[in-house]
């Protein structure tokens, strides 16, 4: 009964992926041209654009929470909300470090690493929560996620700016510490673990949603690996890392906002077909 719906969803998925890939390539060409003029400004532009999309993801998921009863979507939204807070501090430190008292380059890199750890772990949690709840009928799920996420964000910021207990990431000699480099590889492994969970939960998602999420996760892995092998702040590998992260957020936007929110009935039909 629902086979035509799923078939049409798969066709729509392929056409959307082609369009999305074309847009990503267009962004890449634009960024490469722009990078020849001012590389640091380009990174700031990419980060600001990523922040805007991240906040958009949370805002739309939050406003749709009464119509879309899915903890997975809310988990994604909360992940991007708190990650965006950390990323905003990092981006503004690039724009003008005088905005923050006694901010060092090491602090900026520490914020970056903290944000990446937070993002990969919360995305992993979101994938684990596909088709699941934390409380009875999901009544308190948002609170059960938001409170620990807020607490963890506060602890990370206190460790960087308050107690200064967060491990150093900059050697002060134009390179990164072993902790920073090892963290990039560890974060990549955690992202791969999230990808494996996503693959195992494939049957619970609309095909187009799943495709976009997988692409996003793969791009995040490539981005982190690019940062891991980068020896300084403004090398080609760093550019690839920032670009991959930006496009991954775009694919998340497509998956969650355009598909999960704008076309919720496709998800419903997919679940009905599973129970036939």
């Amino acid at each position: 009964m629902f086979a035509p719906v799923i078939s049409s969803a798969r066709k729509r998925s392929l056409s959307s992926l082609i369009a999305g890939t074309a847009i990503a390539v267009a962004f890449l060409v634009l960024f490469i041209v722009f990078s020849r003029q001012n590389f640091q400004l380009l990174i700031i532009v990419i980060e600001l654009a990523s922040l805007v999309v991240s906040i958009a993801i949370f805002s739309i998921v939050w406003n749709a929470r009464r119509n879309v009863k899915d903890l997975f979507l809310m988990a994604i939204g909360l992940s991007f909300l708190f990650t965006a807070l950390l990323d905003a501090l990092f981006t503004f430190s690039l724009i003008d470090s005088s905005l923050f008292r006694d901010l060092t380059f090491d602090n900026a890199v520490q914020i970056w690493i903290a944000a990446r750890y937070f993002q990969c772990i919360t995305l992993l949690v979101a994938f684990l929560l596909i088709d699941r709840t934390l409380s009875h009928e999901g009544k308190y799920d948002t609170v059960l996620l938001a409170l620990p996420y807020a607490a963890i964000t506060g602890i990370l910021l206190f460790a960087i700016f308050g107690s200064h207990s967060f491990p150093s990431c900059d050697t002060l000699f134009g390179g990164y510490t072993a902790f920073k480099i090892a963290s990039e590889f560890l974060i990549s492994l955690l992202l791969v673990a999230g990808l494996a969970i996503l693959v195992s939960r494939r049957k619970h998602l609309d095909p187009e949603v799943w495709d976009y999420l997988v692409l996003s996760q793969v791009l995040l892995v490539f981005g982190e690996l690019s940062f891991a092998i980068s020896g300084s702040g403004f090398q080609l590998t760093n550019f690839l890392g920032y670009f991959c992260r930006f496009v991954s957020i775009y694919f998340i936007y497509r998956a969650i906002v355009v598909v999960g929110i704008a076309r919720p009935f496709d998800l419903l039909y997919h679940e009905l077909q599973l129970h036939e």
Side-chain angles (χ1 to χ4, degrees):
M1 177 178 178
F2 296 104
V5 175
I6 302 304
S7 175
S8 105
R10 174 51 64 184
K11 291 178 181 178
R12 185 168 54 241
S13 170
L14 291 175
S15 63
S16 295
L17 284 174
I18 292 173
T21 302
I23 292 174
V25 171
F27 272 121
L28 176 60
V29 173
L30 178 63
F31 289 161
I32 290 175
V33 173
F34 196 84
S35 67
R36 296 183 177 181
Q37 303 300 318
N38 190 322
F39 193 87
Q40 185 169 3
L41 180 59
L42 172 64
I43 298 306
I44 292 173
V45 170
I46 292 177
E47 284 299 297
L48 288 175
S50 300
L51 285 173
V52 170
V53 177
S54 296
I55 295 301
I57 290 173
F58 169 74
S59 297
I60 297 177
V61 170
W62 180 261
N63 289 324
R65 67 188 185 281
R66 290 187 175 85
N67 298 323
V68 183
K69 303 296 184 181
D70 193 320
L71 178 57
F72 161 66
L73 291 176
M74 182 53 64
I76 289 285
L78 290 172
S79 171
F80 274 88
L81 172 66
F82 289 103
T83 301
L85 173 61
L86 295 170
D87 284 336
L89 293 175
F90 170 77
T91 304
F92 292 142
S93 72
L94 292 181
I95 296 174
D96 186 358
S97 60
S98 65
L99 292 173
F100 305 94
R101 182 180 179 182
D102 299 326
L103 179 74
T104 65
F105 179 73
D106 185 36
N107 292 146
V109 181
Q110 288 174 323
I111 296 171
W112 171 264
I113 289 297
R116 304 287 68 78
Y117 269 121
F118 186 91
Q119 182 179 46
C120 72
I121 292 173
T122 52
L123 284 177
L124 191 152
V125 170
F127 297 149
L128 285 172
L129 291 175
I130 294 175
D131 197 39
R132 293 174 179 169
T133 59
L134 293 174
S135 59
H136 180 62
E137 297 182 351
K139 187 175 181 181
Y140 303 107
D141 283 358
T142 299
V143 174
L144 290 175
L145 277 179
L147 289 180
Y149 283 5
I152 292 170
T153 302
I155 291 171
L156 288 173
L157 291 177
F158 178 77
I160 295 172
F161 296 108
S163 65
H164 303 289
S165 57
F166 196 94
S168 179
C169 295
D170 177 54
T171 63
L172 302 179
F173 299 103
Y176 295 129
T177 64
F179 169 77
K180 191 271 183 185
I181 297 173
S183 290
E184 298 286 8
F185 284 111
L186 177 56
I187 290 167
S188 299
L189 288 176
L190 290 172
L191 289 169
V192 170
L195 181 61
I197 294 171
L198 186 58
V199 170
S200 71
R201 310 291 290 171
R202 179 174 186 172
K203 67 179 181 179
H204 298 283
L205 294 171
D206 170 82
E208 189 173 354
V209 171
W210 188 84
D211 287 343
Y212 279 130
L213 290 176
V214 167
L215 276 173
S216 174
Q217 199 74 356
V218 169
L219 283 167
L220 282 176
V221 173
F222 277 115
E224 289 304 321
L225 289 176
S226 296
F227 290 127
I229 64 177
S230 174
S232 64
F234 301 108
Q235 293 186 351
L236 174 62
T237 49
N238 260 38
F239 167 75
L240 292 175
Y242 283 109
F243 176 75
C244 287
R245 202 173 73 82
F246 172 76
V247 178
S248 75
I249 294 176
Y250 164 75
F251 280 133
I252 285 278
Y253 175 87
R254 291 285 301 176
I256 302 303
V257 178
V258 177
V259 182
I261 303 299
R263 299 206 326 265
F265 287 108
D266 283 2
L267 302 179
L268 174 62
Y269 290 147
H270 185 61
E271 288 298 321
L272 289 173
Q273 198 259 359
L274 287 174
H275 294 292
E276 279 291 307

